[in-house]
Amino acid sequence: MRVTALVILNSAASSSSSPEAADPVVLANATDVSRFGYFQRFAAREFILFVARTVANRTPAGQRQSVQHEEYKVHSYNRHDLCALAFMDDHYPVRSAFALLNQILDEYQKAFGESWRGVKVDATQPWPYLTEALTKFQDPAEVDKLFKIQRDLDETKIILHKTIENLLDRGVKLDDLVEKSSDLSAASQMFYKQAKKTNQCCTML
Amino acid sequence: MNSRVGQATYRDRTLEFVKAVESLKKTVSLAPEVPSGIDALSLDGSKAAVSTQSEFNKRASKIGLGIHQTSQKLAKLAKLAKRTSVFDDPSVEIQELTTVIKLDITGLNSAVVDLQLLCNSQNESGNTSRDTSSHSTTVVDNLKNRLMNATKEFKKVLTMRTENFKVHENRRQLFSSSSSKDSSNPFLRQRPLASRGHHDSSTPAPWESDTNNSSSLFLGRTNADPSSSTQPLVQQQQQQMAAVQDSYMNSRSEALQGVESTIHELSNIFTQLATMVSQQGELALRIDENMDDTLANVEGAQSQLLKYLTSVSSNRWLMIKIFFVLMVFLMIFLFFVA
């Protein structure tokens, strides 16, 4: 379950009514191309940017969208012309992906307010939050609380199952102990009677 | 004199009759002026009554014609609505026809109401015969019934159209394979329509002003087609996007429900755990009791043995017994020897 790239774009210029639609402008970009060989990394980055622009162009405002592209799933969310995209593999749960997009959009708006609307050229400086988000959110449990809760609950359930098995074993052992203690009690009673009998009977001899 | 609307089947010759009567009266009667004045007045009155009656008849015939035309249009609309296939959707004409029929029905409704008012005023004015009044009320009722039937037919056709539309939408969603195709197609098709939309900036968008569009249609203009054809396209787009949003929301709600059910299961497990622990606690108490009994028995036995030991190890009884035995020997020895 990996996240390969997170991209934020300004897709205000790509409203579909104007025939001369300009491509969306990249505002922030974080890619993890360590899986590719050294010489392919640049090409992979370009490819990611291109696909990001295309998908952001085709996502209408206020909508979410998921596109399958070769072995990647691209999830995009366009909120008031600020479009966030995530490239991830098929195993990453879709809902967590959209929660992640929501979160980075909120962070971006908190960090930059509305200044991004005027940006017309691709931003070249990396945004540190995005890069650390990319590494932090490789595991969907970090970003999606529901996923984390579900996972914790499943672990708790497994632990409880083990506990119940232990409890059954304890029950068996307790049954055993009851048997043995009742035998012991009977034997000690016989011993007492014998002792009393020898003490009382032949005192003359 | 024939009525001008072609559908009416009566010929209104009352004016000819009245003229004939007048001419006859003028030739036959040599009555004084006052009665002729009265006659003229009554003639005028009856002419007025007759003219109002013919006015009533004219309007009734107009309304009847309107209802007939509306029901013809309605039949055409029903045929169109039944005919819709997935790709060849004549929703444009259906929209136009629907608006036209709606306007017609409202107009006819108001006309029937007016006619009824006229009929009531005629009946109240009192210079019509009983047959005329019953005739006019019957005519008004007939027209009202026909209008009501037409409205019911209209409603039925509209429901059928919406059902067909829903069925087509379901089939369309079944046949569209992935969401990317759905998202790309509307966008691809939208661009050329968007360019055409610029040329048709004179006609208003159909979803903005319904009456405006229908009035333009009434006047016979037909170039509202391109802008109104974007409406079902945008609807499709919106429905697909709504489906994507729905699936996101559905997945969230499913996750929440899953979490809730897991928590329920966990609570069940905990209660079972508590039951089992309490049952086993009972067993532990039994064991404890048995061990206490054993302890008491063993302690008693130990004390007995201790007593026995002390009695065995103490010498007093033994001394008495040995002395007794010696005395017995001594006695016997003394008796037999001495």
Side-chain angles (χ1 to χ4, degrees):
Chain A
M1 289 201 289
R2 312 169 33 95
V3 185
T4 306
L6 295 171
V7 187
I8 299 189
L9 300 105
N10 174 4
S11 68
S14 73
S15 51
S16 50
S17 62
S18 61
E20 74 288 344
D23 277 337
V25 175
V26 173
L27 295 169
N29 182 2
T31 51
D32 171 28
V33 283
S34 52
R35 287 173 68 201
F36 301 102
Y38 183 74
F39 296 105
Q40 297 165 331
R41 280 180 194 177
F42 182 67
R45 255 194 222 112
E46 288 300 315
F47 167 74
I48 284 173
L49 281 178
F50 168 70
V51 172
R53 263 190 250 268
T54 321
V55 176
N57 212 357
R58 303 228 173 132
T59 312
Q63 299 287 353
R64 299 176 168 90
Q65 198 172 302
S66 302
V67 184
Q68 176 84 26
H69 184 90
E70 291 171 12
E71 72 264 12
Y72 291 111
K73 265 207 166 98
V74 185
H75 306 281
S76 74
Y77 177 35
N78 182 340
R79 184 167 77 177
H80 307 128
D81 286 338
L82 186 65
C83 195
L85 281 103
F87 287 67
M88 40 201 43
D89 64 352
D90 289 336
H91 301 297
Y92 207 92
V94 177
R95 213 178 18 81
S96 316
F98 285 120
L100 170 62
L101 291 179
N102 255 335
Q103 198 174 352
I104 56 177
L105 276 178
D106 287 334
E107 278 294 326
Y108 193 81
Q109 278 188 321
K110 254 197 301 200
F112 294 102
E114 292 290 317
S115 62
W116 52 270
R117 285 196 198 259
V119 174
K120 295 285 177 210
V121 286
D122 292 347
T124 46
Q125 287 170 315
W127 183 32
Y129 176 77
L130 205 63
T131 38
E132 79 178 51
L134 189 63
T135 49
K136 193 161 69 149
F137 296 139
Q138 290 287 335
D139 183 15
E142 293 292 319
V143 66
D144 194 17
K145 301 282 180 293
L146 277 175
F147 194 79
K148 192 156 134 180
I149 289 172
Q150 185 68 36
R151 201 154 71 167
D152 285 343
L153 281 173
D154 288 338
E155 281 172 12
T156 310
K157 209 156 71 154
I158 290 176
I159 290 176
L160 275 177
H161 281 309
K162 279 192 207 147
T163 308
I164 288 195
E165 273 182 38
N166 287 344
L167 201 67
L168 284 171
D169 285 343
R170 174 178 179 252
V172 164
K173 281 181 200 162
L174 275 176
D175 268 340
D176 219 13
L177 271 177
V178 165
E179 285 288 323
K180 284 189 184 161
S181 70
S182 63
D183 284 347
L184 194 61
S185 160
S188 73
Q189 206 166 17
M190 291 306 297
F191 176 44
Y192 179 66
K193 278 187 189 147
Q194 280 284 2
K196 211 153 69 163
K197 206 167 64 165
T198 51
N199 209 10
Q200 284 200 352
C201 182
C202 321
T203 51
M204 294 313 281
L205 286 169
Chain B
M1 166 174 44
N2 274 347
S3 60
R4 280 177 288 116
V5 265
Q7 204 57 29
T9 53
Y10 70 97
R11 287 177 66 185
D12 192 11
R13 304 181 75 170
T14 36
L15 284 178
E16 287 180 0
F17 174 70
V18 161
K19 274 192 208 133
V21 160
E22 269 185 43
S23 53
L24 267 177
K25 267 202 180 152
K26 282 191 183 123
T27 51
V28 167
S29 73
L30 295 169
E33 300 224 343
V34 176
S36 74
I38 296 173
D39 278 343
L41 263 179
S42 67
L43 263 179
D44 278 338
S46 64
K47 226 196 280 184
V50 159
S51 68
T52 47
Q53 192 58 32
S54 64
E55 165 79 27
F56 174 82
N57 282 341
K58 258 190 267 181
R59 284 165 77 168
S61 71
K62 232 193 296 186
I63 291 174
L65 179 69
I67 291 179
H68 180 79
Q69 283 174 348
T70 311
S71 46
Q72 271 178 343
K73 279 186 220 157
L74 200 60
K76 233 193 312 177
L77 180 69
K79 219 176 13 164
L80 274 179
K82 267 191 226 150
R83 188 174 69 82
T84 54
S85 65
V86 179
F87 299 106
D88 190 16
D89 201 17
S91 52
V92 175
E93 293 118 36
I94 289 180
Q95 282 299 114
E96 296 173 11
L97 262 179
T98 319
T99 43
V100 163
I101 289 175
K102 214 188 300 194
L103 267 176
D104 281 343
I105 286 181
T106 38
L108 285 169
N109 207 7
S110 54
V112 162
V113 163
D114 286 338
L115 192 68
Q116 175 153 36
L117 280 173
L118 179 68
C119 163
N120 286 343
S121 68
Q122 271 183 354
N123 290 347
E124 275 163 23
S125 63
N127 44 357
T128 53
S129 68
R130 199 176 46 122
D131 286 337
T132 326
S133 57
S134 68
H135 167 74
S136 41
T137 39
T138 323
V139 163
V140 167
D141 286 337
N142 189 16
L143 287 172
K144 269 202 285 195
N145 281 338
R146 279 165 69 182
L147 190 63
M148 206 162 46
N149 286 342
T151 324
K152 274 191 210 145
E153 276 296 319
F154 185 51
K155 269 195 212 109
K156 237 194 294 183
V157 166
L158 279 180
T159 43
M160 193 175 52
R161 159 100 182 114
T162 43
E163 276 169 17
N164 271 349
F165 193 71
K166 261 188 238 154
V167 163
H168 289 326
E169 273 312 305
N170 284 341
R171 282 166 73 187
R172 201 175 278 124
Q173 276 184 16
L174 274 176
F175 288 137
S176 65
S177 55
S178 71
S179 61
S180 60
K181 264 200 218 162
D182 288 341
S183 58
S184 58
N185 270 343
F187 286 107
L188 282 174
R189 283 170 71 188
Q190 205 190 7
R191 298 294 278 303
L193 283 170
S195 58
R196 276 167 73 190
H198 274 300
H199 301 309
D200 290 327
S201 54
S202 55
T203 57
W207 55 86
E208 280 169 351
S209 52
D210 214 36
T211 56
N212 204 1
N213 203 10
S214 60
S215 64
S216 66
L217 285 168
F218 237 129
L219 298 171
R221 288 170 63 190
T222 52
N223 49 356
D225 283 355
S227 53
S228 59
S229 67
T230 57
Q231 186 189 7
L233 204 61
V234 168
Q235 272 174 3
Q236 285 168 23
Q237 226 170 291
Q238 280 170 358
Q239 277 162 6
Q240 280 152 4
M241 277 305 159
V244 168
Q245 292 283 85
D246 274 349
S247 70
Y248 174 61
M249 292 302 164
N250 277 345
S251 71
R252 278 177 82 102
S253 72
E254 275 168 20
L256 275 172
Q257 280 169 359
V259 166
E260 187 192 343
S261 64
T262 317
I263 292 181
H264 270 302
E265 283 170 19
L266 277 178
S267 82
N268 272 345
I269 291 175
F270 269 114
T271 43
Q272 276 181 14
L273 198 71
T275 329
M276 281 166 75
V277 165
S278 67
Q279 282 171 357
Q280 289 175 359
E282 203 182 295
L283 281 175
L285 282 175
R286 269 168 63 185
I287 291 172
D288 203 24
E289 205 183 305
N290 281 345
M291 294 312 288
D292 283 340
D293 282 347
T294 308
L295 184 66
N297 284 340
V298 163
E299 268 182 2
Q302 192 208 18
S303 67
Q304 293 286 335
L305 282 176
L306 203 60
K307 262 196 286 183
Y308 188 67
L309 176 69
T310 49
S311 69
V312 159
S313 63
S314 85
N315 288 347
R316 198 162 26 126
W317 268 112
L318 198 66
M319 272 195 295
I320 292 168
K321 271 189 242 174
I322 291 172
F323 191 66
F324 194 64
V325 163
L326 264 172
M327 291 312 288
V328 163
F329 262 120
L330 266 171
M331 297 305 288
I332 292 170
F333 194 63
L334 277 171
F335 267 141
F336 282 129
V337 170

